Amino acid sequence: MSQIKLYVATMNCAGCVAKIEKAFAAEPNVSARINLADKQVTVDGKMSSDAALAVMDKAGYPAQLIVDAKAAAEEKRVEDAAEYRLRMRQAIAALAVGIPMMLWGLLGGEMMINSPSMQLGWGIMGLVTLALLVGTGRHFYQGMWRALKAKTTNMDTLIVLGTSTAWLYSMLVVLIPSAFPMDTRHVYFEASVMILGLINLGHALELKARGKTSEAVQSLLGLQSSTAIRIGDNGDEEVEIDQLKLGDKLRLRPGDRVALDGVVESGQSLLDEAMLTGEPIPVPKHVGDNLSAGTVNGNGSLVYRVTAGQQDTRLAKIIALVQEAQTSKMPIGRLADKISAVFVPTVVVIALLAAAIWYLVGPEPALSHALVVLTSVLIIACPCALGLATPMSIMVSVGRAAQMGVLVKNGEALQSASKVDCVVLDKTGTVTQGKPQVTGIHWVEGNGQALSDEDKRALLGAIASLEQHSEHPLASAMVSYVKQASIPLPATEIFTNHQGKGIEGRVDGADFLVGNQALMAAFDVQSGKGVTGSHSGFAVEAATQFAKQGKTAIYVAKAGKLVATIAIADPIKADAKEAISAIRSQGIRVVLLTGDNPQTAQAVAAQVGIEEVIAGVLPEQKQQHIKALQQQGHVVAMVGDGINDAPALMSADVGIAMGSGTEVAIESADMTLLSQQLIVIANLLALSRATIRNIKQNLFGAFIYNSFGIPVAAGVLYPLTGMLLSPVIAGAAMALSSLTVVTNANRLRQQKL
């Protein structure tokens, strides 16, 4: 399966989206995702870029192939800025002529053709207006022509029909006034140019607002370096990123940005990773640590080895995920898509029928009234606002989430998150840091005598020597503790792993056991007081105390006798209590779901304020508990980081993976937290609800606007008010509706969470 990205400058409305989707739907094994707000089309499936461009041409929307996302984003920014200036010039030119003409009529000036002098004067104005139609409205006519060649219609069709009808009618009145009844010899030149001026002004302001919408992706793209310092045979040289290969060694100077993902070969420094993870505190980096492209070096100097190509860096994948999510659709937006697909032709029919009714049975001047109705309906019905209602909000929301340190895979997950009323948290690596540490050691006295410091150091060295052969996370905590104390590790002579219990081995001729109660019981280990270690009777007061504190007790025996009990704990994240309180304050149920023992789980839950605990469960049982909560009527969000969480993440209504977790967990989830701060979960749920409210506001405004705007333009209020809606007002309202939707969507950027 390949993926092709296209930029479509002429895509303006929901009707355009529907036609492009329909064009690709006709192709076998191909699907298209469209981002109207960014004017991009993503084509998935077995199709070449040339074939995709041909489909776009046939549909009436010429496109450009996007090869370099960063270059394309910069090119689009430049093009948008140029288009903004052009649309502003066009708007000023049209309004500079249209406003005086409109004021002339409003202040009592003659706009009826009843003399040769009026013919001459308005004939000149008609030619000026024609020049403006061509100069300020050329892009609308070109858009309509492309649509006609593709045997379809679009927003440009409505604008061109409306403005051209008003101009053509007015010019015919000027040229052959005798062909029209006296009371219908009214000119509408000002309507044509005012409509184009207002729509161009609306498009210019919309472009300005849209630029803010995609700022999140722009800022991510801006993190990508274009050059790097490569260490070669001839010393350091500055090269372009695309010249780098896997395995190249790069120098990272103070203040430099990491060019590509890599591993530190030498040196140490602090790196600012806030732009990727949202974590404000710089992260220390030493030999063997991973570096992510886009992060910024502090005052230290590093040499690192490239481990990922330009398209495979963590940053590149983040950008791709954000862009993919921004092009996705929500179920709430599908109603708008269905309506938009048939909207333009339906509006044309309504406009023609309304005009015919006014001409046949309306009051005099019937022809003028029919023209006003036809023009007003065509102009006010443009479905821009309807097409922008959902995608604009999704773009802003996904971008805001990315800035918070959350990757949202699709819009549907965002909508599901807005309904979540139960959050299930894994313990290790989610509520806790996932990095066990030694927090205490209880030494068992032998023959009533305390161990000397030298004896203790020797025992710790022997324990760490054995533990370095184990893959258990608790073992790495012990090894780190001993290394930090600068205790040498002797050679291990024999090593045996007892699955689920601990390890057995020989160091310096002495036999050791390191593990849990079950291991001690299996070898009938005796405590310092001579008590046999059966599974029921073996107990040490210190171990019991450790368990009450949520710490895991590791027993150490030498030559069959207990010599130490070591407490190892996975520290709770600093913001865990605050985050869980924030989630619960939103009326959401919180459950701790873990494979750890019940006593430790309860201790952790008590410290962070979780009242419901489900402990000692296997991976498949986690999934069963998620399904049980769903059967109770809950919409469940599962937060986890390990392979054992993957089934539960898949089954949950919303799966949220910790970015520090396994690839399997991240792939299984709908959202990924790059930040280690749990408070982000509360903010994410609040953002999802704010997004749905925002979309509903946009859709309500767009539907209400078209539902009321078209009948008003058709003249249903005429019997009550004696007035018809001016085409100029219709044009202004159409432009204002799109601008309102874009502005409302951008409110999410400052939404208080």
Side-chain angles (χ1 to χ4, degrees):
M1 296 287 284
S2 62
Q3 187 177 87
I4 301 165
K5 287 187 177 291
L6 306 173
Y7 173 65
V8 190
T10 56
M11 182 169 61
N12 296 311
C13 67
C16 307
V17 172
K19 292 174 182 65
I20 294 171
E21 285 180 336
K22 185 176 180 181
F24 280 105
E27 301 292 325
N29 303 316
V30 173
S31 63
R33 290 177 285 111
I34 299 170
N35 184 340
L36 176 61
D38 240 4
K39 297 191 174 184
Q40 288 190 11
V41 176
T42 303
V43 183
D44 297 303
K46 297 179 180 178
M47 174 174 275
S48 67
S49 56
D50 289 340
L53 291 169
V55 170
M56 293 298 297
D57 282 334
K58 187 177 179 182
Y61 297 92
Q64 293 175 278
L65 182 65
I66 297 175
V67 179
D68 184 335
K70 186 176 182 180
E74 177 59 22
E75 184 180 343
K76 182 181 181 298
R77 186 190 66 77
V78 172
E79 287 181 0
D80 283 353
E83 186 179 354
Y84 170 77
R85 292 191 295 269
L86 175 61
R87 296 291 171 257
M88 285 300 292
R89 288 197 300 270
Q90 291 173 332
I92 291 169
L95 295 175
V97 174
I99 290 175
M101 281 198 290
M102 184 179 69
L103 290 175
W104 171 265
L106 292 174
L107 297 175
E110 186 60 69
M111 300 191 77
M112 302 289 288
I113 306 300
N114 49 26
S115 68
S117 61
M118 294 302 295
Q119 269 186 285
L120 178 61
W122 281 112
I124 294 172
M125 291 308 301
L127 294 176
V128 172
T129 303
L130 177 61
L132 286 169
L133 288 179
V134 174
T136 67
R138 183 188 298 114
H139 50 293
F140 296 123
Y141 287 84
Q142 291 171 338
M144 186 190 75
W145 177 243
R146 284 192 295 267
L148 287 176
K149 286 197 297 183
K151 298 179 182 179
T152 184
T153 57
N154 60 10
M155 183 192 77
D156 297 329
T157 306
L158 301 180
I159 295 172
V160 169
L161 286 176
T163 55
S164 298
T165 301
W167 183 87
L168 187 60
Y169 174 86
S170 301
M171 187 52 76
L172 287 174
V173 169
V174 169
L175 294 175
I176 47 174
S178 59
F180 295 83
M182 183 63 70
D183 55 1
T184 64
R185 297 176 186 176
H186 192 286
V187 291
Y188 295 96
F189 292 126
E190 90 289 353
S192 296
V193 290
M194 283 290 289
I195 288 167
L196 291 180
L198 289 167
I199 292 174
N200 278 323
L201 178 61
H203 281 184
L205 297 176
E206 186 183 314
L207 274 169
K208 198 81 170 177
R210 281 192 192 185
K212 296 179 182 178
T213 306
S214 53
E215 276 184 2
V217 173
Q218 301 298 328
S219 61
L220 286 172
L221 288 169
L223 298 179
Q224 295 179 318
S225 297
S226 56
T227 61
I229 304 297
R230 182 170 61 189
I231 303 173
D233 296 335
N234 299 321
D236 292 359
E237 57 177 342
E238 187 170 1
V239 298
E240 296 291 326
I241 294 296
D242 53 15
Q243 295 180 28
L244 296 176
K245 299 176 182 177
L246 296 182
D248 280 353
K249 289 187 178 181
L250 307 180
R251 188 178 304 282
L252 189 65
R253 300 170 302 190
D256 279 356
R257 196 178 291 278
V258 178
L260 296 173
D261 288 3
V263 175
V264 178
E265 295 269 308
S266 65
Q268 60 182 28
S269 186
L270 293 172
L271 264 74
D272 181 358
E273 298 185 338
M275 64 288 295
L276 289 183
T277 65
E279 297 283 1
I281 302 173
V283 180
K285 297 292 181 180
H286 306 279
V287 175
D289 289 342
N290 293 321
L291 301 181
S292 295
T295 55
V296 179
N297 188 23
N299 294 325
S301 180
L302 299 172
V303 172
Y304 66 101
R305 176 172 45 83
V306 175
T307 58
Q310 191 173 357
Q311 303 303 319
D312 299 318
T313 65
R314 188 184 185 197
L315 176 61
K317 291 176 180 178
I318 288 171
I319 293 170
L321 278 171
V322 172
Q323 289 178 324
E324 185 174 340
Q326 288 184 332
T327 61
S328 65
K329 288 188 177 179
M330 287 185 175
I332 194 173
R334 289 172 189 155
L335 176 61
D337 290 341
K338 291 177 182 178
I339 293 174
S340 297
V342 295
F343 195 82
V344 175
T346 301
V347 166
V348 172
V349 171
I350 291 172
L352 292 173
L353 284 174
I357 292 171
W358 274 94
Y359 180 71
L360 295 173
V361 300
E364 294 297 334
L367 187 58
S368 290
H369 287 153
L371 173 67
V372 170
V373 166
L374 176 66
T375 306
S376 298
V377 171
L378 289 173
I379 296 300
I380 204 168
C382 289
C384 301
L386 196 60
L388 291 169
T390 302
M392 288 300 297
S393 296
I394 292 178
M395 275 195 71
V396 178
S397 183
V398 169
R400 175 83 186 274
Q403 290 170 337
M404 286 164 36
V406 183
L407 293 183
V408 180
K409 285 191 178 178
N410 54 65
E412 192 160 349
L414 208 56
Q415 183 168 342
S416 298
S418 70
K419 303 174 184 175
V420 166
D421 59 4
C422 179
V423 171
V424 178
L425 299 168
D426 175 46
K427 181 181 75 68
T428 306
T430 302
V431 175
T432 63
Q433 294 178 12
K435 297 177 181 178
Q437 300 174 7
V438 174
T439 60
I441 302 176
H442 174 78
W443 298 102
V444 179
E445 297 178 357
N447 300 320
Q449 296 181 352
L451 293 171
S452 67
D453 289 342
E454 187 177 343
D455 290 337
K456 291 177 182 178
R457 287 174 62 84
L459 283 170
L460 288 173
I463 295 166
S465 176
L466 290 168
E467 292 282 30
Q468 67 182 348
H469 296 284
S470 172
E471 295 181 354
H472 197 283
L474 298 183
S476 62
M478 192 66 222
V479 174
S480 296
Y481 177 80
V482 172
K483 284 184 176 180
Q484 287 175 7
S486 300
I487 299 173
L489 273 59
T492 300
E493 299 167 14
I494 298 175
F495 174 85
T496 304
N497 181 52
H498 295 275
Q499 190 69 34
K501 296 179 181 179
I503 57 176
E504 174 189 4
R506 181 175 297 164
V507 179
D508 286 342
D511 292 328
F512 285 88
L513 293 170
V514 184
N516 56 19
Q517 285 187 11
L519 182 70
M520 300 297 115
F523 283 84
D524 200 26
V525 171
Q526 295 181 333
S527 73
K529 296 180 181 179
V531 180
T532 300
S534 67
H535 196 70
S536 58
F538 180 82
V540 176
E541 187 177 345
T544 305
Q545 192 62 33
F546 290 155
K548 289 179 180 178
Q549 297 169 0
K551 300 175 181 180
T552 301
I554 301 297
Y555 303 100
V556 180
K558 179 181 179 182
K561 290 187 177 182
L562 185 70
V563 293
T565 306
I566 301 172
I568 297 181
D570 186 0
I572 294 171
K573 290 180 179 175
D575 71 330
K577 188 172 183 178
E578 177 193 357
I580 288 160
S581 176
I583 294 171
R584 294 183 64 183
S585 69
Q586 297 177 24
I588 296 173
R589 178 180 176 185
V590 180
V591 179
L592 186 68
L593 181 64
T594 177
D596 209 341
N597 69 75
Q599 195 171 16
T600 301
Q602 287 288 355
V604 170
Q607 291 180 61
V608 298
I610 298 177
E611 297 177 356
E612 294 185 63
V613 178
I614 303 172
V617 294
L618 298 172
E620 59 271 20
Q621 292 174 322
K622 284 190 175 184
Q623 185 183 38
Q624 291 167 8
H625 282 292
I626 294 294
K627 290 181 177 179
L629 287 167
Q630 289 171 326
Q631 289 170 359
Q632 294 173 21
H634 287 292
V635 178
V636 181
M638 169 69 192
V639 188
D641 74 326
I643 291 175
N644 61 337
D645 297 319
L649 289 169
M650 289 287 288
S651 296
D653 297 284
V654 180
I656 304 174
M658 305 300 294
S660 59
T662 63
E663 288 292 331
V664 175
I666 292 170
E667 287 296 321
S668 304
D670 301 300
M671 302 176 180
T672 301
L673 301 184
L674 298 177
S675 170
Q676 291 302 303
Q677 297 176 312
L678 280 183
I679 193 67
V680 172
I681 298 172
N683 293 339
L684 176 63
L685 296 175
L687 176 63
S688 66
R689 290 194 295 276
T691 302
I692 297 303
R693 283 197 304 272
N694 193 271
I695 290 174
K696 287 179 178 178
Q697 291 164 0
N698 286 345
L699 287 173
F700 177 79
F703 278 127
I704 290 297
Y705 166 80
N706 284 307
S707 299
F708 284 98
I710 292 175
V712 170
V716 295
L717 297 181
Y718 183 84
L720 299 175
T721 64
M723 292 178 63
L724 283 176
L725 183 68
S726 167
V728 175
I729 302 300
M734 187 274 284
L736 184 62
S737 67
S738 297
L739 184 60
T740 301
V741 164
V742 175
T743 304
N744 187 53
N746 272 298
R747 286 195 311 111
L748 284 170
R749 297 170 70 241
Q750 283 82 38
Q751 179 75 40
K752 187 176 180 181
L753 302 176

